[in-house]
Amino acid sequence: MTTAPPATAPAKAPARPRLRVLLASTAVSVTALLLLVAVGAVLHEPLLIPPLAASMALVAGAPDLPLAQPRSVVGGQLLSALTGFAVLAVTGPGLWGAAVAGGLALGVMAAARTPHSPAAATAVIVTLQNPPFWPFLALLALAALLLVATGLAGARATGRRYPAYWL
């Protein structure tokens, strides 16, 4: 005779953040993304707003998660870009290669212990757009570091702890 597994309580929605934390996290996110646009405008090079906006959502909204840690934000973005460039070298630009790059990037990040799901979109963008290698990597590194820096500033303003770890 088999027994049924014990019943588990249904999952609950996350707790509502304190107003101060909500306002500061929102302001930090807007500031970080506006800084990325400003840097892109000065350099006449648009930065990757969609995946970086998702990265900032993790840094500001869930700073305790492994996905939000500096190691994952910077390392995950750069490893995913490199994965995208590797796939691009084999397949050329296109949707099929982009799909492969996005999936491979998730595996590469997991293997390197730098989980950062928004970075999979970076691999896809690289494979679709075929950007120049060194300028793209330099701008991506700058952008990821900027997100981490604004995350640090936001944590200080709200009394939250960020990062949970660096490396």
Side-chain angles (χ1 to χ4, degrees):
M1 180 163 124
T2 61
T3 59
T8 57
K12 293 188 213 177
R16 188 177 313 276
R18 295 184 326 259
L19 182 61
R20 179 174 163 230
V21 170
L22 175 69
L23 293 174
S25 296
T26 302
V28 165
S29 296
V30 169
T31 300
L33 296 174
L34 287 172
L35 284 171
L36 292 181
V37 170
V39 168
V42 167
L43 298 174
H44 304 289
E45 219 30 77
L47 294 174
L48 299 170
I49 293 302
L52 294 173
S55 294
M56 194 63 217
L58 290 169
V59 170
D64 296 330
L65 289 179
L67 298 169
Q69 301 313 306
R71 169 191 177 96
S72 292
V73 174
V74 177
Q77 287 289 353
L78 292 175
L79 285 172
S80 291
L82 291 171
T83 302
F85 280 114
V87 170
L88 182 63
V90 173
T91 67
L95 290 173
W96 294 102
V100 170
L104 285 177
L106 292 169
V108 168
M109 288 184 286
R113 297 181 311 120
T114 57
H116 191 68
S117 51
T122 301
V124 169
I125 288 170
V126 164
T127 311
L128 289 174
Q129 295 184 349
N130 192 13
F133 184 83
W134 288 114
F136 184 87
L137 283 182
L139 282 173
L140 182 61
L142 173 67
L145 290 169
L146 188 66
L147 296 183
V148 169
T150 54
L152 287 166
R156 303 247 184 302
T158 60
R160 293 171 96 183
R161 183 172 172 236
Y162 179 78
Y165 57 87
W166 285 95
L167 302 173

